[in-house]
C-alpha cells in the first residue's frame, strides 16, 4: 500500500462554505490531505532538526499537505526504506546517495531527488584546551565518527582515505547509537574528537557553546587537493566565519550535498506539488533554519549528479517555473 494518500485520503481540513445552500445551511467543501512520511535519523543529529523544520514550513505553506517526520537510523536505513516503499521521502547524506546512484557495493538505486538540502563540509571538533591541532595529531586516538547508519562516517572514510589514513585502523573509531551522544564523550575525555559536517550541525553547536569552548580541525590545502584528486565527487566547501561561537575565520574542507530523496513510485503530481510548495517557501525555510537557506530549486539542479536523477514531477515544475529550460 502506498504511503502517500491522495484522492482517498482522510478528510482532515475543511475549506470555506460553497456557494450552494441546503436548507439554509452552507455546504462545506472538504480539502483532501496528502500524507507524506519523511525519514530523518537518530535524535541529536542534524537530520531530525532539518526534517522537523522542513515538515513544519511545508505543512504551513500548503495546508493540504501532512508531512510526518520519523526518526530512523539515518541514511543507510532510509535508502532501503524508500526502495521498499516504507517511506515516501527521506533525508540522505551525499556519500550514501552517491554510492546508491552509482551502484557502488550494491545495485544502482532507482530513487529520485526531490531537493538538495545543504552542503556538508566535514571537519573534526575538539575541546579548545586539547593539544590536537591537525588530523594526523588524532591518529591513534578515540574519535567519534557519528551515528551508526548515518552518512557522516562514510564522508570521513572517504576524506581520510584521500590523505592516506584508514578510519578503523589508524583511529580508535567510535560509532554512536545516538548522534547526540558525541559531544559529551569529547567533553568528558572518552573521545579526543567528534567528526561532523556543515553549518548548524547540533554536535558542533553543543561543543562550541560548552564551557571552555571548542576548536575545529579540517584538512589543510594540501590534504584537500589530495582528497579531491582521489575522490573527485567530493567538492571543496567552506564553513563561513562565525557559523559557530568563537569561530572567527572561515574553515575550508571537502564534502558533498545531502538530498531529500523520494521513492521511485512517488506519483509525479505529488512530487510536483512538493516542489512547487517548497520553492514558494524557500524564504520561510531559510528563516526557520540557517542551513536550510541552501535548500533551493537552483541548488537542486546544480547539486544533482545529473538531471535524470531529479524526480520527473519536480523537473516538470522546474521547467514551468523557469528554473531549467
Amino acid at each position: 500500500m502506498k504511503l502517500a494518500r491522495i484522492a482517498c485520503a482522510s478528510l482532515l481540513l475543511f475549506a470555506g462554505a460553497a456557494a450552494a445552500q441546503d436548507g439554509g445551511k452552507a455546504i462545506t467543501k472538504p480539502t483532501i490531505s496528502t500524507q507524506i512520511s519523511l525519514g530523518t535519523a537518530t535524535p541529536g543529529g542534524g537530520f531530525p532538526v532539518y526534517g522537523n523544520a522542513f515538515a513544519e514550513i511545508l505543512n504551513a505553506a500548503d495546508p493540504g499537505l501532512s508531512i510526518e517526520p520519523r526518526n530512523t537510523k539515518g541514511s543507510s536505513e532510509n535508502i532501503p526504506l524508500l526502495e521498499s516503499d516504507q517511506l515516501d521521502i527521506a533525508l540522505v547524506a551525499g556519500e550514501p546517495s552517491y554510492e546508491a546512484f552509482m551502484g557502488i557495493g550494491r545495485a544502482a538505486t532507482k530513487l529520485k531527488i526531490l531537493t538538495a538540502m545543504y552542503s556538508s563540509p566535514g571537519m573534526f571538533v575538539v575541546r579548545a584546551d586539547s593539544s590536537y591541532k591537525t588530523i594526523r595529531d588524532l591518529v591513534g586516538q578515540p574519535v567519534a565518527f557519528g551515528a551508526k547508519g548515518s552518512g557522516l562516517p562514510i564522508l570521513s572514510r572517504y576524506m581520510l582515505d584521500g590523505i592516506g589514513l584508514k578510519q578503523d585502523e589508524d583511529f580508535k573509531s567510535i560509532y554512536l547509537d545516538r548522534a547526540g551522544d558525541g559531544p559529551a564523550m569529547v567533553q568528558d575525555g572518552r573521545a579526543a574528537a567528534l567528526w561532523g559536517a556543515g553549518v548548524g550541525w547540533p554536535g558542533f553547536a553543543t561543543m562550541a557553546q560548552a564551557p571552555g569552548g571548542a576548536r575545529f580541525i579540517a584538512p589543510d590545502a594540501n590534504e584537500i587537493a589530495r582528497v579531491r584528486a582521489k575522490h573527485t565527487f567530493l567538492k571543496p566547501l567552506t564553513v563561513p566565519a562565525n557559523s559557530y561561537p568563537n569561530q572567527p575565520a572561515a574553515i575550508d574542507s571537502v564534502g558533498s550535498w545531502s538530498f531529500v530523496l523520494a521513492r521511485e513510485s512517488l506519483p509525479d503530481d505529488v512530487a510536483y506539488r512538493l516542489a512547487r510548495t517548497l520553492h514558494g517557501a524557500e524564504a520561510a525555510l531559510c528563516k526557520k533554519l540557517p542551513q536550510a537557506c541552501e535548500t533551493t530549486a537552483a541548488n537542486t539542479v546544480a547539486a544533482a549528479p545529473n538531471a535524470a536523477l531529479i524526480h520527473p514531477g519536480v523537473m516538470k515544475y522546474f521547467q514551468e517555473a523557469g528554473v531549467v529550460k
Side-chain angles (χ1 to χ4, degrees):
M1 183 177 72
K2 304 304 181 186
L3 296 175
R5 302 173 184 87
I6 309 165
C8 297
S10 59
L11 305 181
L12 301 180
L13 302 171
F14 292 90
Q21 301 287 316
D22 181 10
K25 296 180 180 179
I27 299 174
T28 58
K29 182 180 179 181
T31 299
I32 301 300
S33 174
T34 300
Q35 298 179 341
I36 302 290
S37 57
L38 166 63
T40 60
T42 60
F47 274 15
V49 174
Y50 180 95
N52 290 338
F54 181 93
E56 178 183 334
I57 294 301
L58 267 67
N59 288 345
D62 181 350
L65 287 175
S66 179
I67 300 174
E68 303 171 356
R70 299 181 186 177
N71 290 122
T72 67
K73 295 179 182 178
S75 297
S76 65
E77 183 180 36
N78 287 344
I79 290 173
L81 288 175
L82 286 169
E83 290 175 324
S84 60
D85 283 5
Q86 295 182 67
L87 288 171
D88 293 314
I89 60 177
L91 313 185
V92 181
E95 289 68 40
S97 297
Y98 174 80
E99 292 182 346
F101 287 139
M102 298 297 109
I104 298 174
R106 50 155 296 151
T109 190
K110 295 181 179 180
L111 302 180
K112 297 298 183 181
I113 293 170
L114 182 75
T115 184
M117 292 169 52
Y118 47 69
S119 59
S120 299
M123 55 188 183
F124 297 94
V125 65
V126 299
R127 286 172 32 173
D129 61 359
S130 78
S131 60
Y132 309 112
K133 306 292 185 183
T134 69
I135 293 174
R136 292 192 177 274
D137 289 342
L138 294 171
V139 169
Q141 300 301 317
V143 175
F145 281 104
K148 300 172 184 175
S150 78
L152 285 173
I154 302 176
L155 171 58
S156 55
R157 189 169 284 112
Y158 276 113
M159 188 275 291
L160 292 170
D161 178 71
I163 60 176
L165 296 172
K166 296 186 180 300
Q167 186 161 296
D168 295 322
E169 296 178 18
D170 293 317
F171 304 86
K172 297 175 182 176
S173 301
I174 300 169
Y175 300 103
L176 307 170
D177 291 322
R178 291 167 51 94
D181 295 339
M185 297 184 72
V186 179
Q187 290 162 357
D188 65 20
R190 285 176 289 163
L194 171 66
W195 169 262
V199 175
W201 192 62
F204 287 163
T206 298
M207 285 291 298
Q209 294 165 4
R215 184 161 30 83
F216 295 98
I217 298 175
D220 61 28
N222 178 63
E223 290 170 333
I224 289 173
R226 291 178 62 191
V227 172
R228 295 199 63 221
K230 187 168 186 179
H231 300 298
T232 56
F233 70 93
L234 293 178
K235 307 300 181 185
L237 298 171
T238 299
V239 177
N242 301 309
S243 294
Y244 296 99
N246 301 310
Q247 180 235 322
I251 302 171
D252 294 326
S253 187
V254 293
S256 61
W257 282 81
S258 295
F259 296 102
V260 180
L261 298 186
R263 57 183 171 91
E264 182 192 11
S265 57
L266 187 73
D268 287 1
D269 60 335
V270 176
Y272 178 98
R273 181 176 181 177
L274 288 167
R276 181 186 62 195
T277 303
L278 180 58
H279 192 200
E282 286 177 2
L285 186 56
C286 175
K287 185 176 180 180
K288 178 71 177 179
L289 192 68
Q291 55 268 44
C293 293
E294 292 187 293
T295 303
T296 67
N299 281 342
T300 300
V301 174
N306 65 67
L309 296 174
I310 299 175
H311 194 289
V314 175
M315 283 298 291
K316 179 182 178 182
Y317 172 73
F318 284 174
Q319 289 165 351
E320 291 181 4
V323 178
V324 296
K325 294 182 179 179

